[in-house]
Amino acid sequence: MAKLKELLGEIEQIKQDSYKELENLDSLDDCEQVRIKYLGRKGKIPDLFNELGKLPDEDKAKAGKRINQLKSTLDERINEKKNQLQQLEQEKQLEKESLDVTLPGRRRRTGKLHILTQVLDELIDIFKRMGFSQALGPEIETDYYNFEALNIPELHPARDEWDSLYIDKGTLLRTHTSPVQIRVMENNDPPVKIICPGKCFRRDTPDATHYPVFFQVELLWVDEDLSFANLKYVTKTFIEKFFGPKFKMRFRADYFPFTEPSAEVDIMRPDGHEWLEILGSGMVDPNVLEAVNYDPEVYQGFALGLGVDRMAMLKYGIDDIRLFYRNDLRFLRQF
Ligand code: DAH
C-alpha cells in the first residue's frame, strides 16, 4: 500500500513539475527539451513505468492508468505549446519582413529605342500597312549590284555621285539600298512590292546634313499596270502619314541612272523656310528590268529611296545629323 501511495505521489509531482515547466518556456528548443525530459526514451514517464513493475499486482492497474493518463495529456499539452510557439515565431518573422508601402520607391531607369530606330519602325509600319513586304540585303555589296545592274556602268559620271568606300576592287560598303531591288527581282517573278530598310555608307565629310553612315528605306513596286500616278500617290500618302498634313511637299525633276523619268521629293516644315530633299524616285528604267530578265514591254514599276535620318531631322526639328551618331544621352533621352 505504501508503495502505491508513493508512486501516485510521484506521478502527481511529475505532473505538476512538467506542466509548470511547459507553461514557463518560450522557445521551441526548450519545448523539445521538456519532451525529452519527460517523454523521451530515458525520460521520467518511462521511469514511472519501471516503478510500476515493482508494485504488487493488485495496485498495478490503478497506477498504470494514472501514468498513461499523464503521458497522453502531457503529450497533448506539449504539442499544443509547440503549435503556439510556431505560430508566434511565424508572426514575428512576418512582422520583420513586412513592407512599408509608404516608403518612396527606387526609380529604375528604363532603356528605349534610339530615335532613328523609332523612325525606321514607324516608316516600315506605314509601308507594311500599304501592302509592302520587307526585304533585306547585305551591307557589303559587289560593284555589280551597287552600280552595274542599276544601269551605272564603270566610268559612268554618275558614279561620282556616290563617293564610295571600297573594300577591294569589286566590293564596297553599299552606298544606297537600291542594290536590294536587284537582288529581290533576280530571285522573284513579278509582281514585287517591297521595301528594304538599311544602313548605307559614303565617303562624305561629316557636316550638319551629311554623315558617312546613314539609313535609307528603298521601295520597289513592279507590276503590269503601274504609272507615275501610282508613285505619286504612294509618296504623298506615306509622307502625310509620317509628317501629318501640315508639312509641305514638292516633286522636282531629277536624274538617276536607274529610273526614267526621275524625281526628287523635298519637304518643308510648317514653320520652315527651306526645302530639304528627302528622297529620290522614278519609274524603273527598262535597262534595269532587262538586267533581271523582266520583260519591260509587259512590266513597269516605280522605285524610291528615302533618307531616314533626314526624315527624322525634319519631323523632330533636329538641325544636325551628327547628333544621331554621337550617342550623347542628353540628346537621345529627349525622344
Ligand atoms: N539610291 C538613290 C540614292 O541613294 C536614291 C534613289 C533614287 C532610289 C531613285 C531609288 C530611285 O529607288 O528610284 O541617292
Side-chain angles (χ1 to χ4, degrees):
M1 198 59 196
K3 278 235 158 152
L4 174 63
K5 223 176 158 190
E6 216 174 90
L7 186 56
L8 292 180
E10 220 176 304
I11 293 171
E12 187 56 32
Q13 190 60 50
I14 288 177
K15 181 174 160 183
Q16 282 179 13
D17 289 351
S18 61
Y19 284 8
K20 201 165 166 194
E21 279 176 45
L22 205 55
E23 207 164 291
N24 291 336
L25 62 80
D26 59 4
S27 84
L28 280 166
D29 277 352
D30 291 351
C31 195
E32 179 60 12
Q33 288 311 320
V34 169
R35 197 190 62 77
I36 292 169
K37 179 171 170 189
Y38 291 97
L39 295 169
R41 216 154 43 81
K42 291 181 182 163
K44 295 208 166 191
I45 291 180
D47 271 356
L48 287 175
F49 282 111
N50 288 339
E51 295 295 312
L52 186 66
K54 295 174 194 161
L55 285 188
D57 282 349
E58 65 270 24
D59 293 336
K60 275 184 184 158
K62 188 175 182 192
K65 202 173 156 196
R66 285 276 182 85
I67 302 172
N68 273 324
Q69 249 170 12
L70 172 59
K71 188 179 162 189
S72 61
T73 34
L74 184 59
D75 195 45
E76 249 168 54
R77 283 185 178 224
I78 289 176
N79 284 337
E80 217 168 89
K81 185 81 184 181
K82 267 191 184 166
N83 285 342
Q84 267 174 20
L85 289 170
Q86 255 158 4
Q87 205 169 334
L88 270 175
E89 218 152 272
Q90 213 168 31
E91 273 163 23
K92 258 194 248 162
Q93 187 72 12
L94 281 177
E95 210 164 296
K96 242 199 282 175
E97 289 170 6
S98 73
L99 188 68
D100 182 353
V101 290
T102 63
L103 279 174
R106 263 174 243 147
R107 190 176 295 276
R108 204 176 280 188
R109 272 237 166 87
T110 46
K112 50 156 89 169
L113 294 174
H114 191 285
I115 177 62
L116 283 179
T117 309
Q118 291 180 41
V119 166
L120 256 174
D121 286 349
E122 189 183 346
L123 287 169
I124 292 168
D125 192 55
I126 291 173
F127 286 123
K128 282 198 170 162
R129 279 195 242 176
M130 293 167 84
F132 290 85
S133 41
Q134 179 172 299
L136 297 175
E139 289 172 1
I140 296 177
E141 201 36 290
T142 62
D143 198 276
Y144 176 76
Y145 287 109
N146 199 82
F147 293 125
E148 289 275 338
L150 289 164
N151 204 27
I152 320 172
E154 212 186 335
L155 305 178
H156 190 289
R159 287 213 183 189
D160 297 345
E161 307 250 322
W162 289 277
D163 266 333
S164 313
L165 292 155
Y166 274 88
I167 289 173
D168 53 41
K169 193 161 177 300
T171 19
L172 69 159
L173 296 177
R174 69 175 173 200
T175 58
H176 49 182
T177 42
S178 302
V180 189
Q181 289 187 27
I182 307 298
R183 290 179 174 274
V184 171
M185 287 192 285
E186 267 183 356
N187 292 308
N188 296 278
D189 289 330
V192 291
K193 192 178 179 187
I194 49 131
I195 49 160
C196 353
K199 218 183 258 176
C200 305
F201 310 84
R202 283 186 204 171
R203 200 156 38 82
D204 278 337
T205 308
D207 63 26
T209 49
H210 297 84
Y211 203 74
V213 183
F214 56 96
F215 287 83
Q216 285 191 340
V217 172
E218 191 80 11
L219 177 147
L220 173 71
W221 189 355
V222 177
D223 206 339
E224 286 184 29
D225 198 18
L226 291 171
S227 73
F228 204 94
N230 300 97
L231 163 61
K232 201 164 174 190
Y233 175 77
V234 166
T235 308
K236 198 166 167 303
T237 307
F238 96 79
I239 284 176
E240 266 174 23
K241 286 221 167 88
F242 183 80
F243 289 115
K246 295 214 175 97
F247 280 65
K248 283 174 229 144
M249 158 187 135
R250 72 174 180 197
F251 273 84
R252 180 166 45 79
D254 200 350
Y255 167 76
F256 294 101
F258 32 91
T259 42
E260 182 60 37
S262 307
E264 291 253 22
V265 170
D266 303 330
I267 301 283
M268 198 195 290
R269 283 176 65 85
D271 55 355
H273 308 285
E274 269 178 324
W275 292 102
L276 189 63
E277 117 197 5
I278 57 154
L279 68 85
S281 65
M283 300 305 291
V284 179
D285 193 290
N287 287 342
V288 174
L289 296 174
E290 266 166 16
V292 295
N293 290 320
Y294 283 13
D295 183 351
E297 297 297 325
V298 181
Y299 297 104
Q300 330 72 53
F302 60 85
L304 63 85
L306 64 90
V308 176
D309 305 65
R310 291 201 174 170
M311 305 246 330
M313 287 167 76
L314 273 167
K315 181 160 174 168
Y316 295 101
I318 298 161
D319 56 10
D320 194 326
I321 193 175
R322 291 168 290 197
L323 288 165
F324 292 132
Y325 301 95
R326 252 180 215 148
N327 285 334
D328 184 335
L329 290 177
R330 287 168 303 176
F331 168 73
L332 295 174
R333 283 205 186 106
Q334 299 175 82
F335 308 102

